[in-house]
Amino acid sequence: MKKVVIALGGNALQKSKDQATAQAQQRACEQTAEQLLRIIKAGFNVVVTHGNGPQVGNIVLQQEAAATDRTPAMPLDTCGAMSQGMIGYWLQQAIDKSLADAGIPKRAATVITQTVVDPGDPAFRHPTKPIGPFYTEEEARRIMREKGYLFKEDAGRGWRRVVPSPRPVDIVEKDVIRELVENGHIVVCAGGGGIPVIRREDGSFEGVEAVIDKDLGAAKLAELVDADILLILTAVEKVAIHFRQPNQSELEEVTTDQLRRYMQEGHFAPGSMLPKVEATLQFADSRPGRTAVITSLEKGFDALLGKAGTRISARGSGVRKEMPLTS
């Protein structure tokens, strides 16, 4: 059976900014589980990863709002762990219910996942990843003085805290995840790209104040658990060049060489489609025969059958049109 890592976008967990209650997000997870069930029923071995941007941002704000000397706010890496546990709980409940309703004797399990980063990564010297809400310049400068955070102005919309976004190097729990999925379990892991940690000289790990790009984290996870397919689910069915221009063109089958050329020509927006493209290039080039797919949540199953989405493969090992990626 083919092994697929499925990277869920934000719409799989929260449909809109005003639907941040636990109940609303649980309903979104139930709808997502219905789509995942189709893939599981088709016989794929499934690993699920997810974003956590809105959730971890809310946790940080809640921690800071309630902070006192007796109950101090937790650091960013610990807030990331909280978000992994919370979202994993919602997803595994939703997946387990879908499996039980379908009469499938499988269970989902969440693995709190640490992602190793290089302490010498240049990203630590140049924080770029915005987290949390927007502030006025006056508010941002006050928080910088009081807490030592770094803020930057964000495209005229206000000031936001920025943190480093180093590239993922390794995943601490990779062997556990691989063993679980190879024994038929559905694994939810590496949420938000994983909790960023650095390796100490004694071999232990220490969390750092950073955020890992969730798509690059999913690509590293897919490499390390020896997946055949990386399926990135987002808000659009296909990747497009000349996006929102009269000559917009959607991509169906594309090699990594072609996609890299489009990327260098500036077709993909940073913070939007660009990290997804970078992730698919990294995975598809990591081993012959690997395929990456970008599509919408609703088209995920069809995309695995070769009927939707944008499919990316390395030069010489491309997926032919109409050839399904069956299990």
Side-chain angles (χ1 to χ4, degrees):
M1 295 187 291
K2 287 189 180 292
K3 189 184 301 179
V4 54
V5 168
I6 302 174
L8 300 176
N11 64 330
L13 305 174
Q14 186 173 326
K15 299 301 183 184
S16 65
K17 292 180 180 179
D18 60 352
Q19 293 182 321
T21 66
Q23 294 80 5
Q25 292 179 84
Q26 285 171 304
R27 286 194 297 272
C29 287
E30 289 171 0
Q31 295 169 6
T32 295
E34 293 174 4
Q35 299 297 328
L36 298 177
L37 180 64
R38 300 176 69 196
I39 297 170
I40 295 165
K41 289 173 69 174
F44 290 91
N45 280 336
V46 170
V47 182
V48 179
T49 186
H50 58 82
N52 70 343
Q55 294 81 10
V56 75
N58 287 340
I59 290 171
V60 169
L61 289 176
Q62 291 159 0
Q63 288 285 311
E64 293 179 345
T68 67
D69 290 340
R70 290 174 62 101
T71 58
M74 294 294 104
L76 182 58
D77 59 309
T78 301
C79 291
M82 292 179 186
S83 73
Q84 281 194 8
M86 177 177 69
I87 296 169
Y89 161 63
W90 292 338
L91 282 171
Q92 70 183 44
Q93 276 205 336
I95 293 168
D96 282 352
K97 183 179 185 302
S98 292
L99 292 170
D101 290 347
I104 299 174
K106 287 188 174 187
R107 298 298 293 268
T110 298
V111 177
I112 303 302
T113 313
Q114 303 169 91
T115 299
V116 182
V117 299
D118 181 355
D121 191 310
F124 283 108
R125 298 191 298 274
H126 304 285
T128 58
K129 190 75 169 180
I131 64 169
F134 292 93
Y135 293 91
T136 65
E137 182 176 356
E138 182 180 357
E139 291 170 329
R141 294 195 181 281
R142 175 179 56 79
I143 297 171
M144 283 192 281
R145 288 193 303 270
E146 292 176 354
K147 299 186 177 181
Y149 294 163
L150 178 63
F151 279 73
K152 289 186 179 179
E153 199 276 332
D154 188 347
R157 297 179 295 176
W159 289 65
R160 293 182 76 188
R161 180 186 174 188
V162 289
V163 297
S165 185
R167 297 184 73 86
V169 173
D170 195 7
I171 291 178
V172 177
E173 295 78 15
K174 59 182 180 293
D175 293 335
V176 174
I177 296 166
R178 188 187 303 117
E179 184 174 342
L180 283 169
V181 72
E182 288 177 355
N183 279 280
H185 304 289
I186 294 91
V187 185
V188 181
C189 58
I195 304 160
V197 297
I198 57 173
R199 194 186 304 269
R200 297 190 181 104
E201 291 184 2
D202 64 2
S204 62
F205 298 97
E206 177 184 355
V208 292
E209 292 273 309
V211 173
I212 294 170
D213 181 88
K214 63 182 176 60
D215 298 309
L216 294 178
K220 179 56 67 176
L221 172 68
E223 286 180 53
L224 294 175
V225 301
D226 198 25
D228 301 288
I229 305 164
L230 171 62
L231 176 62
I232 295 181
L233 301 179
T234 185
V236 295
E237 180 183 344
K238 295 176 182 176
V239 179
I241 56 174
H242 307 294
F243 185 59
R244 290 180 176 173
Q245 299 177 30
N247 59 338
Q248 175 175 318
S249 176
E250 294 182 330
L251 306 177
E252 294 185 3
E253 309 281 354
V254 62
T255 68
T256 53
D257 285 350
Q258 292 169 326
L259 193 61
R260 188 170 286 105
R261 186 176 72 250
Y262 292 140
M263 182 179 71
Q264 292 168 348
E265 291 172 353
H267 286 282
F268 311 120
S272 179
M273 188 56 72
L274 181 60
K276 295 172 177 56
V277 167
E278 291 177 330
T280 60
L281 290 171
Q282 175 182 315
F283 177 72
D285 276 338
S286 64
R287 194 195 68 189
R290 285 178 169 168
T291 300
V293 184
I294 300 175
T295 193
S296 64
L297 173 65
E298 294 74 18
K299 294 291 185 178
F301 177 70
D302 290 339
L304 289 177
L305 300 182
K307 299 177 180 179
T310 298
R311 296 175 293 284
I312 303 101
S313 58
R315 184 175 58 186
S317 63
V319 183
R320 296 194 306 273
K321 195 169 183 179
E322 306 302 334
M323 176 183 285
L325 306 174
T326 56
S327 60

